[in-house]
Amino acid sequence: MRLNSRAAAVAAAAATLLLSGAAVASATIGDRPTAGAPAASRRQAEPTKPRPCTIDDVSFHFGGYTAGLSKRRFDLTLLAHDGVVCTLPDTPLITVRKSDDGTPAPVTVNGRGGTLVLRPDSPLHTTAIYNISDAPEHTIKVSALKLAMPDASSRSTYFYAPGDSEIYQAGVSFTSWTTGLGLGQGEEAF
């Protein structure tokens, strides 16, 4: 008798499990929501796309400065704050300003025209590459770097180090944003 009641209990549990699984499947597999389902619950079922980044979503760090005879380079690493997932173009929105009159210095920015997703566990970095001039008439002094986001919010800071930096008049080239840490990520934070 015990065996029959135990078998009946197992069969009842299996039937309940199958029926509830079938009910869930019919509720989630169908291509049309039920007429009585509220619109808010239908919207929650749709996956949400990350929103464009703002300057308040991120922090950026300088590091990895290297200097040869005439070529200089440093990394700019972009980190998302905890809990932030946002998008930005793979072409950095960076400008550099001259020290004497504040006008823009020549800047070349590389990119492929794609969109990247920035997460706290997946930083992005770009490398600034520029030359030092060997003649004063070919030299410009720069002091400020401005990083902007897709929503046009921005933050300005110095160009790698406080004060004026003398560079060749052709300006600065920035690589496209790439995933991963830069050479010296975390040396300076802004």
Side-chain angles (χ1 to χ4, degrees), residues 98 132-141 166-170:
K98 295 179 185 175
I132 301 300
S133 179
D134 57 355
E137 62 270 14
H138 300 282
T139 301
I140 59 173
K141 292 181 181 182
E166 292 185 350
I167 67 172
Y168 181 62
Q169 66 187 5

Side-chain angles (χ1 to χ4, degrees), residues 17-188:
L17 186 60
L18 287 174
L19 288 174
S20 65
V24 169
S26 68
T28 58
I29 294 175
D31 59 350
R32 293 185 187 161
T34 58
S41 66
R42 282 182 277 178
R43 273 185 254 129
Q44 289 175 350
E46 297 173 8
T48 58
K49 292 182 182 178
R51 60 178 172 71
C53 295
T54 69
I55 203 68
D56 293 331
D57 294 332
V58 301
S59 58
F60 55 102
H61 305 266
F62 292 108
Y65 182 79
T66 59
L69 290 176
S70 66
K71 187 174 278 189
R72 307 286 190 263
R73 65 189 311 145
F74 62 87
D75 284 340
L76 179 67
T77 301
L78 194 62
L79 298 169
H81 294 168
D82 287 342
V84 172
V85 177
C86 59
T87 62
L88 71 162
D90 68 358
T91 305
L93 305 173
I94 296 178
T95 55
V96 176
R97 298 260 177 212
K98 295 179 185 175
S99 308
D100 53 359
D101 60 3
T103 60
V107 170
T108 304
V109 185
N110 296 312
R112 297 170 298 279
T115 300
L116 301 172
V117 177
L118 181 63
R119 294 179 175 84
D121 62 348
S122 182
L124 300 172
H125 77 277
T126 182
T127 302
I129 305 164
Y130 58 99
N131 290 316
I132 301 300
S133 179
D134 57 355
E137 62 270 14
H138 300 282
T139 301
I140 59 173
K141 292 181 181 182
V142 297
S143 60
L145 178 143
K146 179 176 162 184
L147 174 66
M149 291 289 121
D151 72 337
S153 61
S154 64
R155 186 170 298 140
S156 294
T157 186
Y158 47 77
F159 180 79
Y160 188 72
D164 294 342
S165 296
E166 292 185 350
I167 67 172
Y168 181 62
Q169 66 187 5
V172 184
S173 175
F174 289 93
T175 62
S176 59
W177 288 118
T178 54
T179 304
L181 295 176
L183 293 174
Q185 181 271 324
E187 292 179 7
E188 290 287 335

